[in-house]
Amino acid sequence: MNRYILLLFFTTGTLPVFAQRVSIDEALQLAQNGNLEFKVNDAEIKKSRAAVGTAAAVPNTGVFAENEDLQAGNSKGILKIGVSQSVAWPGVYKARRIYLKEQAKYYELNRAAIDAQLKKEVRMAYYQLWYLQNRSGLYQQMDSIYKSLLQAATLRYNKGEAAGIEKIAADVRFKELQAQQQEIINERILQQQQLMLLLNTQQSVLPLNSPLQKITLEAGDTVTAHPLLALQQQQLNIAASGIMVQKNENRPELSGRFFSQALYGIREPYSGFSVSVGIPLFNAGANRQKINVAKADLELQQKKGELQEQRISSQKKQAQTAIAQADAMVQYYESNGLKQAGEIIKAAVLGYKGGELSFMELTQYLNQATDMQKSYLDALNKYNQAVIQYLYFINL
């Protein structure tokens, strides 16, 4: 089959465009290669890794010039030039580094969460578009039937074999189908735009030109840890490392000074140094509160983790229930309903053209058969969308 087809959208002012037909696996691969979420994540990882290098940052080194011990009648005093430097407690730098590394790891783990979400969204958009494509095909089939019936009704009316009501009814139904077909086309355009956005492509993309397929769940499909749970666990790690940062920042600050008169050219210069320790006497209460805030954040992340795990477990079970319900309807239509619908359409059209059925009777049979075909597509689409949700929650 030619991979490129001429797709005509019958909307006012819309020109024909070429669309590439791809399988679901190809669509997923295109998304993996082009979606901008991954590029944003790459930038976040690069930024967070660079931030780790700032953990050892110390305050600026001070340069000072002093003139001490000025006395009346002696303007020289004691001239000093020196440097000063303050540093945090050594444990602060280690704690900061661990904290920044944990943050960087969060963005690295986030890639798996982005991948899982993207797979779900691509599958949903792809199968919804495939469903609409089949709905459109069903309307085209009925459109063809009613076009033929309209011609037959017009011919019978012109020959005086039938009342004008049949021609009017056939014409109304034909135009109604055209309107419904146009509505489906508009939905397909919107869904196609969504798929193109996810794939990050300007090339129009469509599903395979074939009947909508049922997503099969393999017997070996097992539940694996969801990336969102790993992300939440990493939030716990970040919060725990944040506590260590606050504890170490509550330690004394160290500072030192070195000076010399030699730079002034004095014959017998003085040199010296001083070391001091800054003790957080007046901020002790505030610093303890900072530690309490960090501990509260750890507890908050623990609760969020429990809630996240509960939600994923519940939503996975809901998806399993939805799969079972939709699958029962799909099996019914595939085993009986579709075959009966096709037979009803064929027999009803032949009966009408042969004069055995009135137009009203024909319409009733056609509507019954069409409703069965639409219901099958609806059930199959509902089943596929439920399976997509389930695949997301088992991280496949």
Side-chain angles (χ1 to χ4, degrees):
M1 181 185 297
N2 193 336
R3 290 170 59 87
Y4 293 90
I5 64 166
L6 185 64
L7 176 66
L8 296 175
F9 290 138
F10 300 98
T11 52
T12 304
T14 302
L15 298 176
V17 295
F18 283 98
Q20 180 183 8
R21 290 201 180 273
V22 298
S23 66
I24 181 59
D25 290 336
E26 290 172 328
L28 289 171
Q29 188 59 53
L30 288 170
Q32 289 278 345
N33 296 336
N35 189 272
L36 291 179
E37 287 281 354
F38 289 116
K39 293 178 173 58
V40 171
N41 181 246
D42 288 337
E44 289 174 333
I45 292 173
K46 182 179 179 181
K47 177 184 175 182
S48 62
R49 286 176 178 174
V52 175
T54 68
V58 297
N60 292 340
T61 300
V63 178
F64 63 89
E66 294 182 354
N67 192 348
E68 294 182 347
D69 298 334
L70 292 175
Q71 297 177 343
N74 182 2
S75 61
K76 290 185 178 180
I78 301 175
L79 302 174
K80 298 177 184 178
I81 294 179
V83 294
S84 64
Q85 181 66 57
S86 62
V87 293
W89 188 262
V92 169
Y93 301 108
K94 181 180 179 180
R96 285 178 184 170
R97 186 173 183 82
I98 294 173
Y99 177 75
L100 292 171
K101 280 187 173 181
E102 295 293 350
Q103 285 190 324
K105 189 176 180 181
Y106 175 88
Y107 292 112
E108 293 167 5
L109 291 173
N110 192 39
R111 192 170 191 84
I114 292 172
D115 181 64
Q117 181 68 25
L118 181 61
K119 282 181 180 177
K120 182 181 77 168
E121 292 181 359
V122 170
R123 283 169 174 157
M124 290 176 66
Y126 183 94
Y127 277 92
Q128 182 67 17
L129 184 56
W130 202 356
Y131 157 73
L132 292 172
Q133 184 174 279
N134 276 247
R135 281 287 299 269
S136 180
L138 177 59
Y139 281 121
Q140 287 176 353
Q141 174 188 341
M142 296 307 299
D143 181 269
S144 177
I145 291 174
Y146 272 96
K147 184 177 181 180
S148 175
L149 293 176
L150 176 59
Q151 293 173 346
T154 302
L155 181 62
R156 291 174 63 181
Y157 172 73
N158 292 336
K159 290 182 178 181
E161 298 176 358
I165 187 64
E166 289 191 3
K167 176 178 176 298
I168 295 172
D171 184 55
V172 168
R173 182 57 177 157
F174 178 66
K175 289 179 179 178
E176 181 183 18
L177 286 169
Q178 286 184 318
Q180 292 173 336
Q181 172 75 327
Q182 184 60 58
E183 182 181 9
I184 292 294
I185 288 173
N186 292 337
E187 290 183 34
R188 288 175 63 187
I189 294 173
L190 294 175
Q191 200 62 42
Q192 186 187 35
Q193 291 171 344
Q194 174 65 15
L195 183 60
M196 290 169 61
L197 175 64
L198 293 169
L199 304 187
N200 189 30
T201 179
Q202 297 300 315
Q203 168 68 52
S204 296
V205 177
L206 284 177
L208 298 177
N209 189 20
S210 61
L212 178 62
Q213 298 296 310
K214 182 180 180 181
I215 302 176
T216 56
L217 287 172
E218 302 295 336
D221 289 344
T222 56
V223 178
T224 58
H226 197 278
L228 290 180
L229 297 179
L231 273 183
Q232 190 56 45
Q233 178 58 48
Q234 189 56 27
Q235 289 282 30
L236 271 174
N237 296 340
I238 292 173
S241 62
I243 294 175
M244 295 308 299
V245 170
Q246 293 301 329
K247 285 183 176 180
N248 278 278
E249 287 186 344
N250 198 24
R251 302 290 177 85
E253 183 182 76
L254 308 176
S255 61
R257 285 164 41 106
F258 171 80
F259 66 88
S260 176
Q261 290 180 310
L263 296 175
Y264 281 108
I266 296 176
R267 183 173 299 178
E268 295 180 359
Y270 289 100
S271 296
F273 68 91
S274 66
V275 177
S276 62
V277 178
I279 301 174
L281 293 177
F282 301 105
N283 290 328
N287 289 334
R288 282 196 298 270
Q289 285 303 109
K290 288 181 180 179
I291 294 174
N292 290 336
V293 170
K295 290 181 177 179
D297 183 50
L298 178 64
E299 184 179 355
L300 172 63
Q301 297 305 327
Q302 288 174 334
K303 296 301 180 183
K304 282 186 175 181
E306 294 172 6
L307 178 61
Q308 186 76 275
E309 189 170 4
Q310 184 185 65
R311 283 178 175 173
I312 289 177
S313 177
S314 175
Q315 290 171 340
K316 180 170 69 70
K317 290 178 182 178
Q318 290 175 14
Q320 289 175 308
T321 301
I323 289 171
Q325 291 175 342
D327 190 39
M329 294 302 298
V330 170
Q331 290 184 24
Y332 160 72
Y333 286 114
E334 288 180 341
S335 60
N336 295 300
L338 288 180
K339 181 179 179 181
Q340 292 174 349
E343 292 174 350
I344 289 173
I345 291 174
K346 183 178 179 180
V349 171
L350 290 175
Y352 174 72
K353 289 183 176 180
E356 298 175 8
L357 297 176
S358 68
F359 186 82
M360 295 304 297
E361 291 173 326
L362 169 66
T363 301
Q364 290 176 352
Y365 284 124
L366 290 181
N367 287 342
Q368 180 185 5
T370 303
D371 287 343
M372 292 173 67
Q373 291 174 327
K374 287 191 295 186
S375 295
Y376 165 69
L377 286 176
D378 291 343
L380 181 54
N381 184 54
K382 187 176 180 180
Y383 169 85
N384 283 339
Q385 294 297 330
V387 171
I388 290 170
Q389 291 289 343
Y390 179 71
L391 291 176
Y392 171 71
F393 290 120
I394 64 173
N395 194 25
L396 287 179

